[in-house]
Amino acid sequence: MLDAPEARVSMRGVRKSFFGNEVLHGVDFEVRAGQVHGLVGHNGAGKSTLMKVLGGLYSDYRGEVFLDGQRAPLTSPGEALRLGVAVIYQEFALIPHLDVAANLALGHEPRTRGGRIDRVKMRHSAQELLTRLGFSVAPNALVGELSVAGQQLTEIAKALSREASVLVMDEPTARLAPAERETLFAVTRRLAAQGTAVVYISHFLQEVLEICDTVTVLRDGTVAASRPADRFTLSELSRVIVGDKPADAGDARLAGAEGTPAPPVGAAPVVLRLDEFGPLGREPSNLSLRAGEILGVAGLVGSGRTSLVEAICGARRANGVLKLDGVPARFRSPADALKAGVVLVPEDRKNRGLVLVRPVGENIALSDLPRHSALGLVRAAGLKAKVRAAMERFDIRAAEGAGTQASALSGGNQQKVLLARAAATGPKVLVLDQPTAGVDVGAKAEIYRHIRALAKTGVACLVVSDELEELLTLCQRVAIVSEGRVVQEHSAASLTPGELLALMSVKEGA
Ligand code: ADP
Ligand code: MG
């Protein structure tokens, strides 16, 4: 190619901090007209923040942004739109109780001579736009009643109705079904063919390699690589994202601060077995979990990991057979499951796990209270001793001991309270959803130690986590979930984080 055309978007040395904490460390990023540019990286790598800078959401970034070679002051969303940049954020910005046409026209509605909104004209232009784009969305449908795909298409139509020549889509397919994804791909390709510069953020790496011309990898707020898509293989791309070194990645992992993977459990008895079992409306899975085993559950956001574990724990309606110690069990509620020995430590400990306004001691004893209150006061002393022992065993640091309000604890200590409570029920199966989310490195290692200790006593553990390192160091085996179903199982020792990511990133049916 002679003289490459001027980049439509050129971001140079972009830095952005939140409360003094820099999360973009001088990022260079270019997108050309007619190009689909993939932007990938782990959660927290800075993809959305970089695109929010481009969308004019932050006026306090440093560095420069050029549009068609002209310096562009991107200091407000309105300014960005005026310059032809439309960003569809992860969090939709549509108004659910208005119809599609009203959402498309929002802020520049056509008016009648009398100054009122011209609904006929509004519907008409909406229909025209949707037809031109080939979107099958009705202009008079309420946005709140559309499918996720319908809302996504409405967002895209809205962006394009503003004559955007740069279109950013932040994880557009995470919540779409395969057929809907195909529609979106077709639309994306068509827009690029018509000269739009498209930025496409997705965790589905295979999809990214198929649909994008160029791919840029962000890692910890810096560009780790940027190349034409055909110069990446799926495994190379995965490796760059996690920062694996090509050769001795496995060794580096074993030498990590979090210790070596747990030893295999061999022929311990199977505690939990799923026979064609799964959340209602999803494909079923088969899976066995042995006493003392720690099994990781891996999958991208939206892969249905949480619905699967909720089905196992009685928090979601299920199909198929779940066997506990070889006996079929049916849980109608989490309380049912708890009674049978299947205990969930939920992901969202602030809203679903702890009673923040109550003391630590009560939180630990919570699952256990009915048993004690049956005998009333007589057991109160026993309960107190139990709580004290649990706090010691899990090394829970609380300024005022068992009487400290749970909200006053650090994230790591809150998580240990939940572990202590779960352990107090004498579980057979412990399901941990994101057990170290939001806790610091030191607390993480401690939580791993406690989970391993519980497993050593014969508890079978299922760990759902976004952190690939965590899955590979804490667990002996990893099950990969896609569309709510276990699609593969691997021994943790056989995988590097990059390899695991590559396996997770293949969307079924894609
Ligand atoms: P990605 O989209 O790649 O997952 P983000 O751009 O959302 O990553 O986040 C990059 C980093 O910036 C993360 O560490 C995140 O916690 C932080 N961050 C993002 N938005 C905010 C915010 N509004 N306030 C504070 N920190 C933020
Ligand atoms: Mg993001």
Side-chain angles (χ1 to χ4, degrees):
M1 197 177 3
L2 298 172
D3 266 356
E6 186 112 64
R8 176 72 186 97
V9 176
S10 173
M11 305 179 82
R12 298 191 200 156
V14 170
R15 295 176 178 273
K16 166 71 187 147
S17 303
F18 292 104
F19 311 107
N21 176 29
E22 191 175 273
V23 302
L24 295 177
H25 312 290
V27 172
D28 295 331
F29 185 67
E30 284 201 343
V31 197
R32 298 181 180 281
Q35 185 186 55
V36 183
H37 195 132
L39 182 59
V40 300
H42 256 333
N43 284 336
K47 306 178 297 290
S48 295
T49 303
L50 185 68
M51 290 303 106
K52 284 175 181 170
V53 168
L54 186 58
L57 253 62
Y58 301 129
S59 52
D60 64 342
Y61 67 91
R62 289 188 290 151
E64 292 174 311
V65 182
F66 298 85
L67 295 175
D68 294 325
Q70 301 287 317
R71 238 190 115 153
L74 293 174
T75 49
S76 74
E79 186 67 17
L81 257 183
R82 201 181 57 74
L83 294 168
V85 178
V87 183
I88 301 172
Y89 297 103
Q90 260 169 300
E91 318 81 35
F92 288 152
L94 298 171
I95 301 182
H97 63 267
L98 292 182
D99 66 14
V100 170
N103 267 282
L104 292 179
L106 208 67
H108 54 106
E109 293 86 352
R111 301 277 165 179
T112 61
R113 276 205 208 115
R116 316 179 70 162
I117 293 178
D118 186 341
R119 296 192 183 277
V120 176
K121 197 165 176 196
M122 198 165 79
R123 288 257 162 96
H124 186 76
S125 9
Q127 185 62 67
E128 198 187 55
L129 174 70
L130 292 165
T131 308
R132 179 157 55 85
L133 294 171
F135 293 178
S136 52
V137 179
N140 61 350
L142 278 188
V143 160
E145 287 169 7
L146 291 177
S147 65
V148 175
Q151 296 188 17
Q152 187 84 55
L153 293 176
T154 307
E155 281 276 12
I156 295 172
K158 185 174 156 195
L160 296 173
S161 73
R162 312 293 206 264
E163 311 279 297
S165 56
V166 179
L167 178 66
V168 178
M169 293 188 273
D170 199 344
E171 307 213 18
T173 58
R175 293 176 292 171
L176 297 186
E180 300 170 336
R181 250 183 287 145
E182 283 308 317
T183 310
L184 184 73
F185 293 169
V187 168
T188 307
R189 291 202 189 94
R190 189 144 44 84
L191 292 174
Q194 291 162 0
T196 308
V198 181
V199 180
Y200 191 89
I201 300 180
S202 174
H203 284 290
F204 299 113
L205 302 180
Q206 201 178 42
E207 175 180 300
V208 166
L209 291 177
E210 275 167 28
I211 166 169
C212 300
D213 305 298
T214 304
V215 179
T216 294
V217 180
L218 275 187
R219 192 168 66 224
D220 299 331
T222 56
V223 174
S226 187
R227 306 179 200 157
D230 57 13
R231 289 189 36 220
F232 275 116
T233 62
L234 180 61
S235 64
E236 270 174 342
L237 182 57
S238 305
R239 217 165 52 209
V240 175
I241 289 172
V242 299
D244 271 2
K245 283 179 213 73
D248 57 353
D251 300 342
R253 176 160 56 84
L254 292 182
E258 280 139 16
T260 52
V265 282
V270 171
V271 178
L272 177 77
R273 188 191 293 281
L274 307 184
D275 281 332
E276 298 293 312
F277 175 93
L280 213 62
R282 301 272 206 164
E283 294 285 308
S285 302
N286 295 299
L287 189 75
S288 320
L289 185 61
R290 293 177 182 278
E293 189 176 18
I294 309 178
L295 174 70
V297 180
L300 300 174
V301 171
S303 62
R305 294 167 305 181
T306 297
S307 23
L308 178 62
V309 297
E310 284 178 351
I312 292 172
C313 301
R316 183 181 283 270
R317 291 178 61 196
N319 265 334
V321 181
L322 179 157
K323 285 186 186 151
L324 208 53
D325 292 331
V327 182
R330 189 164 281 284
F331 308 137
R332 271 175 224 89
S333 67
D336 257 10
L338 181 77
K339 253 181 265 162
V342 178
V343 183
L344 173 67
V345 178
E347 174 177 5
D348 182 357
R349 61 178 169 262
K350 291 221 160 64
N351 291 317
R352 293 166 58 189
L354 291 172
V355 186
L356 290 171
V357 297
R358 303 301 306 169
V360 170
E362 246 175 66
N363 269 287
I364 291 175
L366 211 57
S367 308
D368 217 25
L369 273 176
R371 239 184 289 167
H372 286 276
S373 53
L375 291 175
L377 287 173
V378 186
R379 284 288 193 87
L383 189 58
K384 235 182 208 164
K386 217 170 156 182
V387 165
R388 209 165 30 237
M391 287 188 70
E392 230 157 76
R393 175 175 170 203
F394 287 89
D395 196 17
I396 295 165
R397 271 150 286 170
E400 292 160 55
T404 313
Q405 196 158 296
S407 60
L409 299 185
S410 68
N413 278 297
Q414 288 183 343
Q415 191 64 30
K416 287 190 279 179
V417 169
L418 288 182
L419 278 178
R421 179 208 292 173
T425 65
K428 290 181 178 140
V429 178
L430 193 58
V431 179
L432 302 133
D433 199 356
Q434 311 284 1
T436 62
V439 311
D440 63 54
V441 183
K444 230 179 218 182
E446 233 187 304
I447 289 166
Y448 294 163
R449 195 159 51 70
H450 290 302
I451 294 173
R452 289 202 182 102
L454 281 167
K456 254 207 184 114
T457 66
V459 179
C461 300
L462 266 180
V463 177
V464 178
S465 178
D466 280 337
E467 289 189 43
L468 308 182
E469 288 280 345
E470 175 163 299
L471 290 172
L472 295 177
T473 51
L474 182 61
C475 307
Q476 291 105 345
R477 261 193 314 149
V478 179
I480 297 173
V481 173
S482 173
E483 314 270 336
R485 184 171 78 90
V486 175
V487 290
Q488 292 179 35
E489 285 177 45
H490 295 272
S491 123
S494 68
L495 293 178
T496 63
E499 287 162 352
L500 176 56
L501 179 63
L503 292 170
M504 286 161 55
S505 305
V506 180
K507 191 146 191 173
E508 271 207 279

